[in-house]
Amino acid sequence: DAKTTQPNSMESNEEEPVHLPCNHSTISGTDYIHWYRQLPSQGPEYVIHGLTSNVNNRMASLAIAEDRKSSTLILHRATLRDAAVYYCIRSWGKLQFGAGTQVVVTP
Amino acid sequence: DVKVTQSSRYLVKRTGEKVFLECVQDMDHENMFWYRQDPGLGLRLIYFSYDVKMKEKGDIPEGYSVSREKKERFSLILESASTNQTSMYLCASSSAKVQGRALRETQYFGPGTRLLVL
């Protein structure tokens, strides 16, 4: 089973950090964890990915649990432009997009 | 930055028409993909290609065909459009060099084509 589990939605105030959790309890040792986001009326946009170690880039940070059964995407300072659906994907065979988490950012 | 472009943002066609959706990427990527996205169903893979003139079926290839004559261009063809093909169509590309990893690597998406079949 290549599915991941994410909350349906999360709300944050502008300028505050957002922590988006994802469970992937059946992940195998070679699967990467990818995060994409999709803004309204746009295609999905790559955010970050990792295997075992925590990862940082200009968009976000990815914290991966030691047992790799869960991960957290961290947006350090949410802006209104970060309002989107965020997808956590386990690359088992192929990238399978689930329902994702709708992030709402309030001014 | 990787750029994936799709020929149209919005398209309206009639049942039975032949429909061509074009996708172009400018990063010399080996692999290209076509998905459709529907509410409640997420993204579903239609076809992908890991090389010129090569194609592989995804999860829902029925009613669709593809063409990849040049590395940068991947076309999705609806031979005879039907109303249940009304959807958002998304093209993507990736640079994975190893064929077996094409589906697992980071993909870069185009803006999508919203197709309405009447």
Side-chain angles (χ1 to χ4, degrees), chain A residues 42-44, chain B residues 1-7 9 22-27 29 31-34 72 74 90-94 107-112:
Chain A
Q42 299 285 333
Chain B
D1 277 352
V2 176
K3 194 163 184 187
V4 179
T5 56
Q6 295 183 229
S7 51
R9 291 300 306 271
E22 301 283 334
C23 175
V24 177
Q25 51 95 2
D26 68 357
M27 286 301 292
H29 281 175
N31 314 294
M32 297 186 75
F33 311 82
W34 275 105
E72 68 271 17
F74 193 34
L90 292 157
C91 175
S93 71
S94 78
Q107 295 179 23
Y108 298 89
F109 285 82

Side-chain angles (χ1 to χ4, degrees), chain A residues 26-106:
Chain A
T26 58
I27 196 167
S28 73
T30 57
D31 289 348
Y32 279 81
I33 299 149
H34 296 253
W35 283 83
Y36 287 76
R37 71 179 186 180
Q38 188 171 20
L39 281 66
S41 301
Q42 299 285 333
E45 173 188 25
Y46 166 77
V47 177
I48 200 166
H49 76 286
L51 185 62
T52 55
S53 306
N54 294 345
V55 185
N56 298 293
N57 66 21
R58 62 177 178 83
M59 290 181 73
S61 296
L62 177 60
I64 301 171
E66 207 168 314
D67 62 6
R68 298 202 343 114
K69 294 185 177 182
S70 66
S71 61
T72 302
L73 179 73
I74 302 162
L75 308 177
H76 295 286
R77 289 180 65 198
T79 69
L80 297 178
R81 287 175 294 180
D82 291 322
V85 178
Y86 286 77
Y87 298 98
C88 168
I89 300 161
R90 196 190 114 186
S91 60
W92 175 80
K94 59 186 173 184
L95 300 182
Q96 290 190 336
F97 288 75
T101 298
Q102 175 72 60
V103 170
V104 176
V105 181
T106 308

Side-chain angles (χ1 to χ4, degrees), chain B residues 5-68:
Chain B
T5 56
Q6 295 183 229
S7 51
S8 305
R9 291 300 306 271
Y10 300 95
L11 211 50
V12 181
K13 295 292 181 181
R14 296 209 174 272
T15 302
E17 278 192 78
K18 191 168 186 175
V19 182
F20 292 87
L21 302 182
E22 301 283 334
C23 175
V24 177
Q25 51 95 2
D26 68 357
M27 286 301 292
D28 201 35
H29 281 175
E30 310 294 329
N31 314 294
M32 297 186 75
F33 311 82
W34 275 105
Y35 295 85
R36 63 178 283 179
Q37 185 174 29
D38 301 286
L41 296 175
L43 271 75
R44 292 180 290 168
L45 182 64
I46 304 171
Y47 267 98
F48 69 100
S49 167
Y50 53 86
D51 201 353
V52 175
K53 296 192 186 294
M54 306 300 288
K55 61 185 179 184
E56 293 281 345
K57 292 180 180 179
D59 297 319
I60 50 163
E62 296 79 19
Y64 303 95
S65 62
V66 289
S67 172
R68 191 155 180 215

